[in-house]
């Protein structure tokens, strides 16, 4: 799942900064990134979102996020409370 919103044009050879934020990992099979693109003058040029699903390469079936990745990003999210 991908979406993008272009707010201002970017000119060839213009310096930009792309900020990628993991907003949430929705479950063990999916992760969502939000993106912001800024000019050198800190003006917001574009925003976007991409949701990725983890798949087993041969079967193309959904699988859990690799443990190494989950361990690295968990510290940035609050634990769920019941």
């Amino acid at each position: 799942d991908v979406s993008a919103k272009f707010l201002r044009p970017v000119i060839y050879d213009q310096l930009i900064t792309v900020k990628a934020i993991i907003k949430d990992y929705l479950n063990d099979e999916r992760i969502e990134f939000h993106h912001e693109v800024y000019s050198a003058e800190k003006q917001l040029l574009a925003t976007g979102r991409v949701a990725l699903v983890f798949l087993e390469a041969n079967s193309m079936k959904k699988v859990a996020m690799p443990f190494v990745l989950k361990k690295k990003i968990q510290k940035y999210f609050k634990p769920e409370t019941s």
Side-chain angles (χ1 to χ4, degrees):
D1 188 22
V2 175
S3 67
K5 185 173 184 180
F6 302 98
L7 306 170
R8 293 176 179 77
V10 177
I11 300 166
Y12 179 76
D13 220 19
Q14 180 180 358
L15 293 178
I16 60 171
T17 299
V18 179
K19 187 182 203 179
I21 306 146
I22 300 173
K23 285 288 188 178
D24 198 3
Y25 62 97
L26 305 175
N27 56 45
D28 282 347
E29 300 170 342
R30 185 177 168 170
I31 191 168
E32 188 172 296
F33 294 88
H34 288 229
H35 302 86
E36 297 171 347
V37 179
Y38 291 92
S39 67
E41 296 77 27
K42 310 281 189 237
Q43 188 175 37
L44 183 62
L45 303 172
T47 61
R49 182 185 69 78
V50 61
L52 304 175
V53 175
F54 297 95
L55 301 174
E56 196 282 320
N58 293 321
S59 69
M60 298 303 285
K61 291 184 179 181
K62 290 181 187 179
V63 295
M65 178 185 309
F67 178 76
V68 174
L69 177 59
K70 187 173 182 174
K71 185 177 176 184
K72 287 186 179 201
I73 67 171
Q74 268 183 330
K75 62 185 172 186
Y76 299 105
F77 297 93
K78 296 178 184 176
E80 292 185 20
T81 56
S82 343

